[in-house]
Amino acid sequence: MMPALETPLVLIGLAGLLGYLLGSVPFGVVVSRAFGLADPRKVGSGNIGATNVLRSGNRPAAALTLIGDAGKGAVAVLLARWLLAEDAAQAAGLAAFLGHLFPVFLGLKGGKGVATFLGTLLALAFPVGLAACGTWLVVAGALRFSSLAALVAAVAAPVWAVVLGAPQVSGLMAVLAVLVMNAHRANIARLLAGTEPKIGRK
């Protein structure tokens, strides 16, 4: 299901554009430079997200990357909801997620969007976001694979939306889940081959 269309399309488009620009901010690269670390695009998995920044051994940098990537999705949603309505909030959240995957500031070569996905969920429907974060934590803690935890959390998100009484976000959750799975194609192949690195591995 999707929310009712309340906002003029031009304003939804503007919310989407601003959400995309916000989502395009590459916190992994920015934080790594600020801490004097190697460019995350050139080490480890090459991903700009918190998990790869953690492979530098700098936990504060990884934590700040996680907060920044999650926060940009949440801020995009909350601003659009505050200024416009729920339809614009969902458009801004989707756009912020796409901005992280295809950032204009990095030549459209971004991250895999897990933190931005979770931050967007928390802002759109807090109980659903908590459930998805809990799903990620349980799978990651048990199996130590960040990618597998992300995939399970993404697939579970639309189900959580329905179960927890937020069907109006289930459609967007399904779209985001497909995008998360697409971004993790290489990880899925490595998981199947048994070569996927575990959390904390440098």
Side-chain angles (χ1 to χ4, degrees), residues 51-154:
T51 300
N52 197 41
V53 174
L54 181 61
R55 293 190 176 106
S56 70
N58 193 310
R59 292 186 178 182
L64 286 174
T65 300
L66 177 65
I67 292 169
D69 284 345
K72 63 189 182 184
V75 168
V77 169
L78 294 175
L79 277 177
R81 178 182 288 152
W82 177 51
L83 294 172
L84 299 169
E86 193 64 27
D87 53 351
Q90 290 205 21
L94 173 60
F97 186 76
L98 290 172
H100 183 82
L101 296 183
F102 310 106
V104 66
F105 306 122
L106 296 180
L108 305 183
K109 297 179 181 179
K112 295 174 183 175
V114 179
T116 306
F117 169 76
L118 293 175
T120 300
L121 261 64
L122 286 167
L124 282 171
F126 190 69
V128 178
L130 280 181
C133 288
T135 301
W136 189 95
L137 287 170
V138 168
V139 176
L143 301 177
R144 307 299 296 171
F145 289 111
S146 176
S147 56
L148 180 59
L151 290 165
V152 175

Side-chain angles (χ1 to χ4, degrees), residues 11-21 88 91-92 95-96:
L11 293 180
I12 290 179
L14 181 59
L17 175 60
L18 294 177
Y20 171 77
L21 292 174

Side-chain angles (χ1 to χ4, degrees), residues 151-175:
L151 290 165
V152 175
V155 171
V159 179
W160 281 125
V162 174
V163 170
L164 296 174
Q168 72 279 4
V169 302
S170 61
L172 178 58
M173 295 305 97
V175 171

